[in-house]
Amino acid sequence: MNDLSPLLTDEGQALLGTLRDHDPARELAIATRLRRTHPAELVSAAIGQARLRQRAVAKFGAEDAHRMYFTPHGVEQATRKAVAEYRAGRFAALGVRSVADLCSGIGGDAIALARAGIRVLAVDRDPLTASVARANARALGLTELIEVREADVTEVDTTAYAAVFVAPARRGGRGRIFDPESYSPPLSWAIASARTRPHAALKIAPGVPHELVPDDFAAEWISYEGDVKEAVLWSGTEPGTVRATLLPGGHSLTGRRLPDPPVRPVGRYLYEPDGAAIRAHLVAEIAEELNGGLIDATIAYITSDEAHPGPPFTTAYEITDVLPFHLKNLKALVREREIGTLTVKKRGSAVEPEEVRRRVKPKGPNMATVFLTRVDGAPSMLIGQPLSLWLGSPPGR
């Protein structure tokens, strides 16, 4: 699809309406039937767009996804709705009423900002992407708050806006880009742009080294349903602060610059921190709340002798066995306890979970979780069950 306009006609809209709940497995038959009464190119474009809308439901929800327009790249790179709404809420809480959304893509963040009552300039240099963003603003009734401009973001004057939001492209022709200075535009340019406005947020990869975070910025790592989605550098608020935020729910844990937790023997309970807390280097803060320590100096598993609150920043397990790593011994244990459902987790181990399940051959009515990891430097296996009893308030609250 190189031109969105045919889909915006009455005929295009009617086609999209008929394809809303189409079965992808029957696309060939559907296309053959529709081409009897509609131009072939329009049918292909409509089926392609309907397919993208179905993919977008996971990010945007059915109500929005089936009204919006997408490109393949746009669906993949767009911010998940819950994350965009959270960030827009932070801007609104800061009193921001206008934002220049640079590298806006198909407009996912612009939509969330506008729905928070913020006036948005959405800028993207790709003509089709800008057209899609403009169509999305119109489809969702947000044209009074969203202006879409096709332009190079480095040439846009943002002085009329209270804040900037920059989401540099982190993928190139060869895939994911890991060097922030190879982003488009580079992270250094985004930082310089942010410093020209009272407030700013820069969306970057969650694996960014902490030493690249400027002293006058705050850093936040965000996960959604346990999956780390992004890091955000904030200017104009709490410089030097490090935070992990979990969505849905909006639980946040702020760093207190604690020393590394001590290494101690494995206790009765094991706590697996959320990835956002690990990326934000906040394992020590969680360990303090749990009165726990690490099982190994280089492994982000926390152990304690007591059952402490688990969610939202950890998943808790009751440990029944701590054994030296040996698949033969694990196979014997699984057979003896009739474990048919074996969840395999690894951290600090080269062994793949699927290989473990293939060789151990779990069979039976019972369930267990095995952690392939290191305990004070020694390859080990920890066997246990998820802890179902949660007490008190979550850590960091």
Side-chain angles (χ1 to χ4, degrees):
M1 182 184 68
N2 297 313
D3 181 9
L4 187 67
S5 57
L7 293 177
L8 303 179
T9 63
D10 290 342
E11 185 179 12
Q13 292 294 290
L15 271 176
L16 286 173
T18 64
L19 290 166
R20 172 176 172 135
D21 299 314
H22 83 286
D23 181 358
R26 298 187 62 250
E27 280 187 0
L28 180 59
I30 292 171
T32 300
R33 174 174 54 81
L34 292 176
R35 284 171 182 159
R36 295 169 187 160
T37 53
H38 301 281
E41 289 186 1
L42 179 59
V43 171
S44 295
I47 289 177
Q49 190 60 227
R51 189 186 307 132
L52 292 173
R53 285 178 168 184
Q54 289 184 350
R55 284 175 54 193
V57 167
K59 281 191 173 183
F60 290 90
E63 184 178 354
D64 281 351
H66 286 295
R67 291 188 290 165
M68 293 172 65
Y69 300 89
F70 302 95
T71 64
H73 180 77
V75 170
E76 182 180 349
Q77 297 300 312
T79 302
R80 186 174 291 271
K81 182 179 180 180
V83 178
E85 288 177 341
Y86 165 75
R87 188 165 38 241
R90 285 207 64 184
F91 270 125
L94 292 169
V96 171
R97 292 296 174 262
S98 61
V99 172
D101 178 4
L102 308 180
C103 310
S104 60
I106 62 169
D109 284 283
I111 290 166
L113 289 164
R115 284 175 168 170
I118 297 171
R119 180 171 59 88
V120 185
L121 170 65
V123 183
D124 200 283
R125 67 183 179 185
D126 178 67
L128 177 59
T129 301
S131 296
V132 169
R134 194 174 291 112
N136 285 336
R138 188 183 307 113
L140 300 179
L142 298 171
T143 54
E144 291 187 1
L145 286 170
I146 300 176
E147 174 194 350
V148 179
R149 187 179 303 174
E150 179 192 331
D152 185 328
V153 297
T154 64
E155 299 174 358
V156 174
D157 182 1
T158 62
T159 55
Y161 296 86
V164 295
F165 171 62
V166 188
R170 306 197 306 267
R171 285 186 178 273
R174 297 185 176 180
R176 186 170 297 171
I177 298 171
F178 295 97
D179 177 10
E181 282 308 293
S182 296
Y183 292 172
S184 180
L187 179 59
S188 58
W189 179 90
I191 290 172
S193 178
R195 286 174 173 152
T196 68
R197 312 312 310 136
H199 298 285
L202 313 179
K203 174 183 172 180
I204 57 176
V208 63
H210 281 231
E211 57 267 25
L212 294 184
V213 179
D215 293 339
D216 54 337
F217 281 69
E220 179 177 30
W221 279 260
I222 300 174
S223 70
Y224 178 81
E225 295 185 345
D227 186 14
V228 185
K229 294 299 181 181
E230 62 187 54
V232 183
L233 304 186
W234 292 91
S235 71
T237 174
E238 304 177 301
T241 299
V242 175
R243 174 184 287 113
T245 296
L246 314 185
L247 299 175
H251 304 288
S252 286
L253 177 67
T254 302
R256 303 196 302 278
R257 303 181 185 277
L258 299 180
D260 291 339
V263 175
R264 51 149 292 175
V266 178
R268 182 175 178 182
Y269 301 101
L270 187 76
Y271 298 88
E272 181 180 22
D274 183 89
I278 295 174
R279 293 283 193 178
H281 296 179
L282 299 182
V283 174
E285 280 74 5
I286 296 176
E288 183 181 75
E289 294 284 349
L290 298 174
N291 191 29
L294 299 179
I295 65 171
D296 184 275
T298 62
I299 303 294
Y301 282 138
I302 300 168
T303 187
S304 174
D305 296 316
E306 305 166 359
H308 286 276
F313 290 101
T314 62
T315 303
Y317 299 83
E318 185 173 11
I319 298 301
T320 58
D321 302 86
V322 181
L323 305 169
F325 174 77
H326 201 298
L327 287 182
K328 182 178 179 180
N329 293 342
L330 178 62
K331 183 175 182 178
L333 184 147
V334 166
R335 182 174 59 250
E336 176 186 342
R337 298 183 184 176
E338 298 183 308
I339 296 171
T341 302
L342 182 67
T343 300
V344 182
K345 290 177 170 285
K346 57 172 259 180
R347 188 166 290 169
S349 172
V351 182
E352 292 301 325
E354 287 304 321
E355 174 67 8
V356 173
R357 278 187 285 268
R358 186 185 67 81
R359 294 179 61 181
V360 169
K361 300 177 182 178
K363 183 179 180 180
N366 299 318
M367 304 170 62
T369 300
V370 58
F371 296 86
L372 308 179
T373 185
R374 294 194 302 271
V375 174
D376 199 16
S380 304
M381 305 183 300
L382 281 59
I383 293 91
Q385 295 277 359
L387 189 64
S388 59
L389 176 64
W390 310 117
L391 306 172
S393 299
R397 299 291 288 168

